Structure formats: structure tokens, C-alpha cells
Amino acid sequence: MPVHRSLRRARAALIGALVVLASSLATAPSATASTGTDETYIVLYSDTASSADAAAAVQAAGGSVVANYTQIGVVIAHSSSSGFAAAMAATSGVEGVSATANFATQLNDPQDSGADAAGPPPGDLPNSPATDTDTFSALQWNMRQIHTPEAHAITGGSPAVLVGDIDGGVDFNHPDLKRNLDVADSANCVSGAPVPGLAAQDDNGHGTHTAGIIAAAANGIGIVGVAPNVRLAAIKAADSHGDFFPQAVVCAFVWAADHHVDVTNNSYFADPFLFNCKNDPVQRAIWKAEQRAIRYAQTKGTVVVAAEGNNADDLAHPTQDVSSPDYPPHTAVTRTVHNDCVVIPVEIPGVVGVTADGHNQQPGGGYLKSFYSNYGDSVTQVVAPGGDSIFGRNAEAHNGGVLSTWPANVPCRSTVKEPTGDPSYPTAVYCYLQGTSMAAPHATGVAALIISRYGNLSSPQNGKMRPEQVVSLLEQTADPQPCPSSLPPGYAAFTSRSNGAPQTCTGGTGYNNWYGHGQINAL
């Protein structure tokens, strides 16, 4: 797996209401004249207040507004005043203020058949079949494992469906992606304020990889994604180093909600920490802002799919966090955590949590959970191919990785390439990676196929299907997988990175903490 700082965490929260500017200015202490480091802040207004008139209060406190998300009562601000946070915290209607400089997150991906469920009748969105005969289709063991070629004989998805990939951007010129990319609905959210269009160009690689799994075109070149006919919006929330800051996560979900995105893929965790503890005052403003943003998107009809992460942790029974905060580097501290501490976005209600498996069968049926994949009772909804370089190799998956699109100018340890005949983009590159980052976009693609196929189930939000309907069908049509009756030699050595606990699968075939309701089935 290439040494790319791909992404390590993702968080969520947001909402809002009303506040009187005159009273806010009257109660706010004047900003001090002293200056410090220019900081970005999240200002969280209470549920019973509105951020509509925040600009004057922010200015009086010695700052400037980057973005005001009145939909959820969250303001992103800049200030170099050392008294800014205290001044804003004393403003009427403000629930919390937090600087975000020390709160970036990364998800460093590791390198190196059940009963059918009856679905609703087909819908009325435009659908066309797709083929799986592109140059490297034979290398896509992951797609055959979830039956996408058979599904594509029915539909490759609908161009009426829009998928948002909240990641590090997308290579807009990659020949396997550009046909499906929706530039107008793409945006760069790194600053906390959206910059629409081509500004969401990928400079890391991770976003291009997840995008290809979702929607690489069936065009005779390279690979075929799970939903090769849907539209894809690149929503860039990670910088060139793969760092996700909270303001970018908030911006990304509000953008998705307001641009009628049907499904978002989230192959990261949100800050400030891996486990966000509800009563910690340092974390509160950030995780509540992220939570509001995610819920706002859900209320607008967006299905949210999230990777569970790569620490071999049982997210339902955490005891300590040893890897947060991620930024600046080497500043992590060991913290005791409990069940009131959650991972965002995967533990927000309604979010589809996805674990990873490889391509080797396990004793008792199904495919073995990838050695690195997090898991957890009630946290896990489904499992999908994420690759496994140790316990998932075989003749079909020679290195255990998942092959997908990759920018030509970004290094990758294991690639295949194809000449394009286009002087402006002479070589199309495809990279092998493994991680729950790769598993989640498979589930995102299947969710897009579900909406494409059954789009006549109207809802007030998007005229297609309500998120809970999509999630229910995704779970019902998964192939149940039992806990393994035994584990391969060496697997037990891969214990939780957070607390050293052994990985233990509990539950029945219909639902367990490793595989949820089972492996997604596109057909």
C-alpha cells in the first residue's frame, strides 16, 4: 500500500436558530489588541440561536468570517487576536468556540451467499446497463466478489443520481473518471468555505482512488466502478498532505446537502480526536458542529457511508485512544475513553458503517475480515472488499489489494498503466491499495445503484428515496456472513492498536460485530 498520508478520522454535527446582534455586542468583551498566530476557529451557536448576524460579533472580537453556515448555526472564522475565543464565547447565543489548528485527522490505510430480499418495483429514473470488459476488469476481484458484473447487466446506475466523494479531491482529467465528473457540483472545502468546480483537483491520490471504485466509467479503458453511469461530485476536504481539518468537514457536508447529493462517501474520520468524548469541553464545539453538518445532509436526503478505520479496534468497546490528536505530528497523547466517546461520522445515527474484507474464504463461509479493519456491534452495518495483503492473497488477488484510478503525477508503490493515445494525458494510471477507505466506496456505489433502480420512491428531500430506505435495502440485500469458526495462523497477532485487545467476532450469521448484516451484494 503506497506510503500516502491518506486519511485517519472523520467527525460530524450541526443545526441552528436565532440571536439578536445588539445583545451579542453588548455582552461580548472587547477583543484585546494583542496578536498571536493566525488561527481558524469554529464558532458554534446554540440550538436556540441564529448565526445570521455573526459577522459584526466576529469583527468586534477581532476576527473575520470565512463562512457562515446559518443552516446549522456554525461559523468558520479567522483571527490573530489572542482574545478572540474568549470574546466570542461570551457573545450571546454562542455555545462554544474552538481553534482548529491542532485538530487535523488522517486515515493511514495499511500498505503492504444469503437469502435474497425482495426489493421495491423498479423506478422511473433513466437507467442503462453497463459492461465489465475494460482493459483491467480481469484484475477486479473485488467487483466480482460483490456481483457487480451481474448487476450491471440490469443497470450501471443513473445519471440522475449524484454521488459526492468527500475526500482529497479527484483527478478531473483521468480518462476513466472525467465522463462522470460533475464539475458544477464539485467544490474545494479545505479552507472551510467552498470554492466550486475544478478547485477540487486531487493532489494526494486517495480521492481519485475512492472515486474510481464508485464510478469509473465502463468505457473500454482501465477499470469499471460499482456505479459507472452515475454523476460524481468531488468534494475536497483533505489538503495535499491528507489532513482533514474540522472546518473542511463541516463545509463538505453542508455543500453536499445544499447541492442535492444523493450519497456521500467518507473514507476518513473527523477530528478533533479518533474518539470524541461528549463531555470534553475542548472537543465539544468541533464535534457538535460536525455532527450538525452530517445530520443536516441526512435531512436533505443524503445517504452517508463511512469507513470504520484501520486500527483493528472494537469501536463499540473503546478503552483508550493512543493516536490523537493527529496534527501537528507526534503530539498524540494516551487518553482513557469509554462508550460515551464516539468516532465520527461512522457512529452518527443513520450512517452506514463499513468494515473491510479480503478475497480469501473463511471457515464457516464468507470472506475473512481484513486484519486491520475496525469493527463493532451496532457500529457495523455491512462489510465490503477493502483488500488484505496478508490473509487475502490468492491467484485472483495476487497482492491482496484493490485496483482503482490514480493521478499520473502522484507516486504509487504498485500500479498498472495504460496508454491513452491522448498527448495531453498520455498514460492512465491505476494503483493497488488496501483499507476500509477502499471498502466504503463499494457500499457507496451499491447505494447509488439502489437509488438509480428504485428512484420512484419519492421523498420530500430529493424526489428519489429517503436515506433510511436506501440503508434498509442495502442491509437486506447483503449476503450474511458468520463469524469465522477458526482464524488463519498469524491472524491473532494483529490486535487493537489502541489497547492491544484481541480481535473477537461476536454475534450470529444474520448480524455480528465483524460483518454487520453481511457483505454487500450489488445484484
Side-chain angles (χ1 to χ4, degrees):
M1 179 88 187
V3 189
H4 284 295
R5 306 175 66 188
S6 308
L7 331 144
R8 192 185 257 179
R9 332 251 125 140
R11 295 58 216 225
L14 303 135
I15 199 165
L18 60 93
V19 68
V20 179
L21 176 61
S23 63
S24 69
L25 293 177
T27 56
S30 59
T32 63
S34 62
T35 59
T37 304
D38 187 40
E39 295 261 24
T40 299
Y41 291 86
I42 282 184
V43 180
L44 180 76
Y45 279 73
S46 69
D47 291 347
T48 58
S50 170
S51 65
D53 295 323
V58 169
Q59 183 177 10
S64 60
V65 172
V66 175
N68 187 350
Y69 297 109
T70 56
Q71 308 95 315
I72 56 174
V74 173
V75 174
I76 311 299
H78 273 165
S79 180
S80 58
S81 170
S82 59
F84 178 80
M88 283 305 301
T91 300
S92 177
V94 170
E95 181 178 328
V97 182
S98 181
T100 67
N102 293 329
F103 297 128
T105 186
Q106 292 189 334
L107 181 56
N108 295 314
D109 299 317
Q111 300 221 24
D112 273 84
S113 188
D116 293 332
D124 55 5
L125 296 180
N127 280 266
S128 298
T131 61
D132 288 79
T133 56
D134 285 8
T135 307
F136 301 129
S137 290
L139 302 178
Q140 292 187 274
W141 60 267
N142 48 308
M143 297 299 174
R144 291 185 290 277
Q145 186 161 304
I146 62 169
H147 305 289
T148 57
E150 300 98 309
H152 290 166
I154 301 169
T155 181
S158 172
V161 172
L162 178 62
V163 178
D165 194 18
I166 300 177
D167 208 300
V170 170
D171 180 354
F172 282 89
N173 297 311
H174 198 291
D176 235 355
L177 296 175
K178 64 181 182 180
R179 186 182 83 181
N180 293 336
L181 281 166
D182 185 327
V183 177
D185 286 315
S186 296
N188 184 327
C189 272
V190 171
S191 71
V195 180
L198 296 175
Q201 181 72 23
D202 186 7
D203 47 16
N204 174 276
H206 191 273
T208 298
H209 198 274
T210 56
I213 295 170
I214 299 166
N219 57 359
I221 297 172
I223 64 167
V224 179
V226 177
N229 294 342
V230 302
R231 289 180 297 127
L232 186 70
I235 306 176
K236 183 177 174 65
D239 63 19
S240 60
H241 301 296
D243 289 323
F244 284 79
F245 285 90
Q247 61 268 23
V249 176
V250 170
C251 170
F253 278 104
V254 175
W255 177 271
D258 290 345
H259 286 77
H260 310 293
V261 171
D262 295 299
V263 192
T264 62
N265 184 73
N266 301 272
S267 290
Y268 62 95
F269 292 149
D271 266 325
F273 295 98
L274 169 57
F275 292 98
N276 296 279
C277 301
K278 298 178 180 179
N279 296 321
D280 188 321
V282 176
Q283 304 171 48
R284 185 174 180 83
I286 291 177
W287 73 257
K288 284 197 72 174
E290 291 169 334
Q291 183 185 59
R292 284 189 194 174
I294 290 175
R295 288 181 174 170
Y296 176 65
Q298 291 171 324
T299 65
K300 290 291 188 177
T302 303
V303 178
V304 180
V305 178
E308 292 206 16
N310 306 319
N311 290 338
D313 282 342
D314 182 352
L315 298 183
H317 299 95
T319 61
Q320 69 177 9
D321 178 5
V322 298
S323 57
S324 303
D326 294 330
Y327 188 90
H330 313 300
T331 58
V333 296
T334 299
R335 299 184 304 139
T336 298
V337 295
H338 307 96
N339 280 340
D340 62 344
C341 303
V342 298
V343 176
I344 298 172
V346 73
E347 292 193 79
I348 298 298
V351 172
V352 179
V354 187
T355 59
D357 60 15
H359 194 45
N360 277 338
Q361 295 271 333
Q362 66 181 16
Y367 293 87
L368 181 65
K369 183 182 78 66
S370 303
F371 68 91
Y372 53 79
S373 178
N374 290 352
Y375 56 97
D377 188 34
S378 298
V379 183
T380 304
Q381 276 67 56
V382 291
V383 63
D388 187 327
S389 60
I390 298 177
F391 303 103
R393 294 181 179 224
N394 52 38
E396 192 175 17
H398 70 281
N399 62 10
V402 173
L403 186 68
S404 189
T405 46
W406 194 256
N409 62 339
V410 177
C412 173
R413 184 177 297 172
S414 180
T415 63
V416 294
K417 301 178 181 180
E418 180 173 11
T420 66
D422 180 356
S424 66
Y425 202 105
T427 304
V429 178
Y430 303 83
C431 177
Y432 283 101
L433 301 181
Q434 67 178 358
T436 57
S437 287
M438 287 67 251
H442 287 86
T444 299
V446 174
L449 291 181
I450 289 171
I451 299 169
S452 298
R453 182 67 171 159
Y454 306 117
N456 64 326
L457 293 179
S458 63
S459 73
Q461 293 92 355
N462 61 10
K464 301 188 182 86
M465 297 179 74
R466 295 189 301 274
E468 62 269 24
Q469 292 174 306
V470 179
V471 174
S472 177
L473 199 54
L474 187 68
E475 294 173 347
Q476 292 172 24
T477 57
D479 294 326
Q481 293 199 173
C483 289
S485 57
S486 62
L487 294 170
Y491 192 98
F494 292 93
T495 58
S496 165
R497 294 184 195 173
S498 294
N499 58 20
Q503 299 191 68
T504 304
C505 184
T506 59
T509 301
Y511 182 87
N512 56 65
N513 64 342
W514 276 21
Y515 306 119
H517 297 276
Q519 180 161 259
I520 57 170
N521 187 323
L523 177 62

